[in-house]
Amino acid sequence: MKRFCYRCGALEAQQGPLIQGLCQRCFAEENRLLQAPAELEVTVCGRCGAYLLGKRWHEAERGDTIANAIRATVLSNLKVARLSDAGTKFFYPHEVPELELWVEPKLAERVINVRAKGKVHELQVKPQLDEARIKFMLKRSTCDVCGLKSARHYEAILQVRGKLKKKKSSEVKKMLQRLAMNASKRERNAFIAKVEEQREGFDLYVNPVNLARQMASMLKLEFGAKIKESAKLIGQTRDGRRKFRFSILVRLPSEKD
Ligand SMILES: [Zn+2]
Ligand SMILES: [Zn+2]
């Protein structure tokens, strides 16, 4: 018996394997590859370019900050359909390695054109193409970390003390600032909120407390500094945990001439 497509009547022998009773072309027409929202809101921090996905802020990537934020927002809102005998399942684009995807934002028109190439069903001889046009709104906001920075928030004070010459003191400060820079690449909320000169050294106001501890251990390792940490209860977090402010005193040995 000759099998044929129930939609258009094409013969399986001529058009390739039927998928759920449909020829290759009709199957592709009946089953979309992409599931895309009609509209999206793209939220970008006006200060640092970080972008918001769900409830989490992500560090801005190199290059065109807005285009990258749009792309990341699209990728986290786009689903790809995969059909099997068990039914239809939807995946994020990064979960479908063989998918080819183009995301093209048109800033002036406030739309994002998305094109995709992939298979919805494994019996498809060729990958199918799909396109979506998503309207978007660009929203400028202030991210979590920039909010803390502008409030000069800090978890710990690192008090660096010692009878140091000016040159040595600024060398130590630069070392610590470099450490903070590197930490901020791994952890968005790592930063120095403020530097204050003191009579015999300086204070660094640091987030989070772990960064201050790292700084202290570096000075211990490099210069044999003595460390003393103390904590003061300053209140409660919204979820009822106790909140502390830490002071870490780092005493550097005096310089010998
Ligand atoms: Zn057909
Ligand atoms: Zn920011």
Side-chain angles (χ1 to χ4, degrees):
M1 203 183 90
K2 282 179 180 166
R3 302 213 312 154
F4 57 88
C5 169
Y6 72 77
R7 190 168 172 258
C8 74
L11 290 171
E12 185 173 46
Q14 284 165 11
Q15 305 293 333
L18 298 180
I19 307 167
Q20 300 181 338
L22 290 168
C23 71
Q24 294 278 324
R25 198 175 52 128
C26 289
F27 179 84
E29 283 172 13
E30 293 270 308
N31 293 280
R32 290 204 63 173
L33 176 64
L34 288 178
Q35 195 185 53
E39 284 181 8
L40 265 183
E41 195 173 80
V42 179
T43 308
V44 179
C45 174
R47 293 171 190 238
C48 72
Y51 54 87
L52 188 65
L53 299 182
K55 285 182 178 162
R56 266 195 65 195
W57 285 95
H58 296 258
E59 192 69 23
E61 287 144 38
R62 278 166 185 273
D64 185 338
T65 320
I66 300 291
N68 289 339
I70 290 172
R71 191 182 160 79
T73 308
V74 168
L75 291 182
S76 73
N77 282 279
L78 208 60
K79 289 290 181 70
V80 181
R82 295 308 292 269
L83 198 74
S84 69
D85 293 340
T88 309
K89 279 190 182 159
F90 292 94
F91 296 90
Y92 285 110
H94 72 262
E95 296 173 311
V96 186
E98 67 278 12
L99 182 80
E100 287 181 68
L101 193 70
W102 296 268
V103 177
E104 214 185 323
K106 301 258 184 233
L107 289 174
E109 298 160 53
R110 292 274 179 265
V111 292
I112 308 156
N113 291 324
V114 181
R115 282 188 304 137
K117 195 174 162 189
K119 288 182 183 178
V120 176
H121 196 285
E122 59 175 12
L123 280 180
Q124 282 184 290
V125 178
K126 283 188 307 192
Q128 69 182 68
L129 291 166
D130 198 357
E131 286 179 353
R133 195 175 158 86
I134 306 170
K135 279 195 209 158
F136 76 93
M137 264 185 38
L138 195 61
K139 210 177 116 189
R140 305 257 179 194
S141 181
T142 302
C143 77
D144 50 354
V145 173
C146 288
L148 292 175
K149 279 182 185 167
S150 72
R152 300 224 162 181
H153 171 89
Y154 60 94
E155 268 185 28
I157 308 178
L158 186 82
Q159 301 168 302
V160 181
R161 297 290 182 274
K163 288 200 173 68
L164 300 176
K165 301 209 176 74
K166 255 219 164 86
K167 191 169 161 237
K168 185 63 169 267
S169 170
S170 82
E171 198 181 293
V172 170
K173 207 182 298 159
K174 274 190 195 134
M175 253 172 80
L176 297 175
Q177 280 163 338
R178 242 185 340 258
L179 186 76
M181 272 283 255
N182 289 332
S184 74
K185 284 173 196 157
R186 293 186 303 271
E187 215 180 337
R188 272 178 45 74
N189 66 344
F191 64 94
I192 299 173
K194 172 162 79 152
V195 183
E196 250 173 29
E197 294 301 327
Q198 298 293 342
R199 224 155 51 82
E200 283 194 348
F202 54 88
D203 289 349
L204 294 186
Y205 293 74
V206 179
N207 293 285
V209 62
N210 282 342
L211 175 59
R213 288 187 182 127
Q214 265 177 50
M215 289 172 163
S217 9
M218 186 172 82
L219 296 179
K220 184 178 174 181
L221 208 72
E222 288 278 330
F223 306 107
K226 298 256 183 303
I227 300 168
K228 210 172 102 190
E229 182 178 321
S230 56
K232 196 169 103 191
L233 187 64
I234 54 162
Q236 264 189 357
T237 59
R238 258 176 239 151
D239 51 350
R241 281 177 299 144
R242 297 197 295 168
K243 224 165 132 181
F244 292 96
R245 180 150 293 152
F246 297 87
S247 299
I248 303 176
L249 178 65
V250 177
R251 202 162 274 289
L252 293 165
S254 320
E255 270 187 285
K256 294 176 195 89
D257 292 290

